[in-house]
Amino acid sequence: MADAKKKKSDPKADLKKLAEKLSPSPKNVWDELDKAGRKEADELGRRYISFLTRAKTERAVASECAKTLAARGLADLSKTKGKAAKGGYIVHQGKLLGAFLPGAKSPAEGFNLIVAHGDSPRLDLKPKCVYEESGPGFGMLKTNLYGGLKKFQWLARPLALWGFCALKDGRKVEIVFGEDPKDPVLTIPDLLPHLDRKAQRDKKISEAIAAEKMNLVAASIPLGTPEDKNRLKLAVLKILNDRWGLTADDLVSSEMEIVPAGPAREVGLDGSLIGGYGQDDRMTVFAAMEAMAAVKKTQRPTLFLVYDREEIGSYGSTGAAGGNFVDYLAARAFEASGLKPDWAAVREALMNTNCLSADVEGAIDPDYKEVHEELNSARVNHGTCLIRYTGGAGKYGASEAGAEYMARIRAAFDKEGIIWQSSLLGKQEEGGGGTEALYMAAFGMNVVDCGPPVISMHSPFEVSSKADLLMTVRAYAAFLKMQ
Ligand code: MN
Ligand code: MN
């Protein structure tokens, strides 16, 4: 009798218990990590910073991954046909990477597939890009926007050139200029505030900087003597020729990408965060590569795809639109396992495939909370995000995971003690965005978007958290282990 009385007398504790049972409070990953866990997050973050610094283009991402997979014993399936006991990888057109790892089960029963993208918003050089402004006195390079970027973020900052040029005789020239601390950098000048009122300040931010005004200062020492013409344009061309053997015509068959110069960095007085260019979507590429290495034995075979061109709509021979390359990779996985890649069998395997569309999520910005719907928005340090649907207002263009699949994924994550959050991108009518999920869903497979929260997304210095990176690696590993 006395005991019963005692229990009843603490309604506060009972209510707290009930609340935890019915709706557990969101967990900050740092609160849950012990000393070893924090050290693991820190070391993983440093390795990731090195990857981000080395892989600043989709080509660099594909070749970094290919190199690592080859070192892990995977076969280059573009060079060999037939069985591959440890799995294999293919790089298509230098920019799209697909990989296969065998599991205990046959590929005919379906795969666990992780899909990411290796391209990021940037500036490209136009095919005809060299010109001069003889009055102001500069040799210049003309750029073309690639992907959704805020133009003002790219002015008056150090920029590097990552180029790839294919010559008529079959030779290939690769350029990285502006990354070595001893290299000069490139820059797009911005107008001084003293004179920017009519040209920029009184305009809408989207109209204040014209894309055609985003040109790089490339040289300022003229060739020849003052009587000569085009001395600054020639100065730029001569440097391109002296350094890399290129002519203006060669630039027509080149892919010259302008990216923020310099390494990724730890951010914050506590160094808990990671700042750098291209985390959308190289963070999930890195996490998936780590997860594949960490999981030694899976039941289902693994497929991994790193697409190009996601930032401009996924169209093109290296993009995901229309389900490009997925069925081919699945067929090659059949062959690598000694099976005949019969059309219906491959399609059936894809219908029975579990897919994670691995992409970063826009997290709540501390200074612009109003664009987020706080109940459903992602928070940094609260674990990897499961995003049931993407798209714009009214779910237009959305890919959406079914309830049954969501249940299986959260069961898999919870079983491994993963800290994750359910999130949606922003308020309903603020904009929106999509991923590669819908192109995978077109095969009839289950797909859900899953990736770490990021602030300053699509900027030259995106910011993520070491703790969320750790949870993303663990979440992807848990996914790969799914039956
Ligand atoms: Mn992305
Ligand atoms: Mn993006």
Side-chain angles (χ1 to χ4, degrees), residues 116-117 119 121 279-282 284 310-311 358-361 434-436 457-458:
H117 66 93
D119 64 321
Q279 301 204 56
D280 176 7
D281 186 29
R282 290 153 198 164
T284 72
E310 195 274 344
E311 295 295 354
D359 210 338
V360 296
E361 168 73 316
T435 63
E436 290 154 331
M457 210 165 105
H458 279 211

Side-chain angles (χ1 to χ4, degrees), residues 172-395:
K172 285 162 187 161
V173 180
E174 285 185 63
I175 299 171
V176 177
F177 178 82
E179 294 293 353
D180 189 316
K182 282 180 253 146
D183 276 352
V185 294
L186 300 169
T187 195
I188 300 169
D190 195 7
L191 206 45
L192 64 171
H194 315 64
L195 295 176
D196 77 345
R197 196 162 60 86
K198 279 192 202 147
Q200 292 179 338
R201 206 185 327 156
D202 292 350
K203 290 183 179 169
K204 283 201 329 202
I205 206 163
S206 59
E207 291 160 8
I209 294 140
E212 295 298 345
K213 284 185 185 287
M214 297 183 65
N215 301 308
L216 297 151
V217 165
S220 70
I221 306 175
L223 289 187
T225 62
E227 296 77 48
D228 298 318
K229 289 218 166 93
N230 299 322
R231 303 161 68 209
L232 288 154
K233 180 178 174 179
L234 269 177
V236 176
L237 286 167
K238 186 163 185 309
I239 296 165
L240 293 175
N241 195 261
D242 288 348
R243 273 181 172 261
W244 299 293
L246 305 177
T247 66
D249 281 352
D250 294 331
L251 295 175
V252 173
S253 57
S254 73
E255 295 164 13
M256 298 291 198
E257 303 185 6
I258 303 299
V259 298
R265 304 287 296 268
E266 293 177 292
V267 171
L269 294 174
D270 57 4
S272 59
L273 303 164
I274 297 158
Y277 164 72
Q279 301 204 56
D280 176 7
D281 186 29
R282 290 153 198 164
M283 188 164 182
T284 72
V285 173
F286 176 81
M289 289 289 292
E290 289 284 321
M292 287 191 293
V295 179
K296 293 290 171 243
K297 197 105 191 109
T298 63
Q299 285 300 305
R300 284 168 161 255
T302 300
L303 292 183
F304 177 46
L305 278 160
V306 183
Y307 279 106
D308 175 30
R309 302 182 75 77
E310 195 274 344
E311 295 295 354
I312 53 170
S314 292
Y315 303 109
S317 59
T318 50
N324 180 32
F325 205 77
V326 185
D327 45 355
Y328 175 71
L329 181 66
R332 294 302 306 272
F334 269 59
E335 280 180 359
S337 313
L339 298 174
K340 210 168 154 255
D342 170 66
W343 182 86
V346 171
R347 290 301 293 236
E348 206 174 295
L350 289 174
M351 285 199 292
N352 290 320
T353 287
N354 303 316
C355 177
L356 276 195
S357 167
D359 210 338
V360 296
E361 168 73 316
I364 302 182
D365 182 305
D367 284 321
Y368 292 93
K369 295 195 287 283
E370 66 275 16
V371 307
H372 304 277
E373 186 266 282
E374 282 197 54
L375 191 59
N376 282 286
S377 287
R379 288 201 285 156
V380 165
N381 284 333
H382 285 70
T384 206
C385 305
L386 267 182
I387 306 133
R388 214 179 86 200
Y389 51 88
T390 55
K395 294 192 180 178

Side-chain angles (χ1 to χ4, degrees), residues 8 32 84 110 132 175 210 228 271 288 298 329 345 445 450 474:
K8 266 186 195 164
E32 305 298 315
E132 70 173 36
I175 299 171
D228 298 318
T298 63
L329 181 66
M445 66 179 77
C450 177
R474 289 185 184 173

